[in-house]
């Protein structure tokens, strides 16, 4: 489908469904190294996002929809995830500008801006066992797919696959950021819940876009 405002709305609807289906998994992952409520928080936040997007005017741009997602997540998702995801979507809207239908280059710019926003907010680096370990390979894969002339949907599919691999790759890492860092070496052997929710959300983006 075209990557327009309807795509953002459908993407968030699919994300809300996927997060709800994986709420227990995300809670369990978070329980092992954190508060145990990541699935609950993300489920609440994305449900609110769906409601907020339904209230947007008919002529809302994709950037306006992304900003609505950001503000809703900031106000409804608890812990660190709300500000981090909120910042990601807020920054993602910036390179989109007044575009009505994103092309491949704009998709890459959107993903990169989202990742950079999270880095700026959370001060995490790759290898710290955070959602950055899913976002960074996603951005790299998206850029590679764009360089090879891939369609926007193919670019998102590459990003989603890399995010999923990145989430799995957090399992042996020792956490250096967030509540998991309090566990030190005992944080190894567990998948980061933020990286997993990132993979779920990016997979929803790719699936809805098509070429997946």
């Amino acid at each position: 489908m075209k990557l327009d405002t309807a795509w953002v709305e459908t993407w968030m609807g699919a994300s809300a469904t996927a997060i709800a289906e994986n709420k227990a998994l995300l809670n369990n992952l978070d329980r092992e190294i954190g508060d145990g409520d990541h699935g609950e928080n993300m489920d609440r936040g994305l449900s609110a996002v769906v409601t907020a997007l339904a209230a947007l005017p008919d002529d809302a741009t994709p950037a306006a929809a992304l900003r609505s997602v950001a503000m809703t997540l900031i106000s409804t998702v608890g812990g660190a995830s709300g500000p981090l995801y909120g910042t990601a979507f807020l920054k993602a809207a910036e390179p989109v500008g007044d575009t009505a239908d994103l092309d491949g280059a704009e998709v890459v710019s959107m993903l990169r801006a989202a990742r950079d926003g999270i880095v700026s907010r959370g001060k995490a680096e790759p290898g710290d066992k955070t959602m950055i370990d899913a976002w960074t390979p996603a951005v790299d894969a998206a850029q590679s797919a764009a360089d090879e002339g891939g369609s926007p949907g193919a670019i998102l599919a590459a990003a989603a696959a890399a995010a999923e691999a990145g989430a799995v790759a957090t399992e042996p890492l020792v956490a250096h950021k967030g509540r998991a860092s309090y566990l030190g070496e005992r944080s190894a052997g567990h998948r980061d819940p933020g990286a997993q929710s990132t993979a779920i959300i990016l997979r929803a983006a790719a699936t809805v876009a098509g070429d997946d």
Side-chain angles (χ1 to χ4, degrees):
M1 69 181 296
K2 292 172 58 177
L3 301 193
D4 54 11
T5 303
W7 168 70
V8 177
E9 294 173 352
T10 308
W11 169 21
M12 288 299 107
S15 295
T17 298
I19 289 291
E21 291 172 349
N22 287 279
K23 180 168 65 174
L25 167 65
L26 294 172
N27 281 339
N28 288 336
L29 292 175
D30 194 29
R31 189 172 295 116
E32 292 168 345
I33 58 174
D35 293 336
D37 58 1
H38 185 61
E40 200 72 39
N41 283 333
M42 293 300 295
D43 182 41
R44 180 176 60 253
L46 284 164
S47 294
V49 162
V50 171
T51 300
L53 290 178
L56 284 178
D58 292 341
D59 61 350
T61 63
L66 291 169
R67 286 193 292 271
S68 176
V69 173
M71 300 313 296
T72 304
L73 292 177
I74 289 171
S75 63
T76 59
V77 177
S81 297
L84 290 171
Y85 271 116
T87 299
F89 281 95
L90 203 57
K91 292 297 182 183
E94 292 181 358
V96 174
D98 295 329
T99 301
D101 179 10
L102 280 69
D103 62 19
E106 289 163 337
V107 168
V108 176
S109 295
M110 178 188 72
L111 293 175
R112 179 174 289 108
R115 187 276 310 276
D116 292 349
I118 296 170
V119 170
S120 177
R121 168 69 69 171
K123 311 300 182 190
E125 299 177 354
D128 281 344
K129 198 182 183 82
T130 71
M131 62 174 68
I132 291 300
D133 291 305
W135 278 98
T136 294
V139 171
D140 293 345
Q143 184 63 66
S144 294
D147 291 344
E148 294 170 0
S151 68
I155 291 168
L156 284 168
E164 289 163 351
V168 172
T170 63
E171 291 179 6
L173 299 177
V174 174
H176 297 292
K177 289 288 182 180
R179 191 176 182 86
S181 66
Y182 301 156
L183 298 177
E185 296 290 334
R186 287 184 291 125
S187 63
H190 306 285
R191 188 176 306 183
D192 180 71
Q196 185 63 39
S197 61
T198 294
I200 292 170
I201 290 170
L202 291 182
R203 175 56 64 190
T207 300
V208 168
D211 291 334
D212 184 20

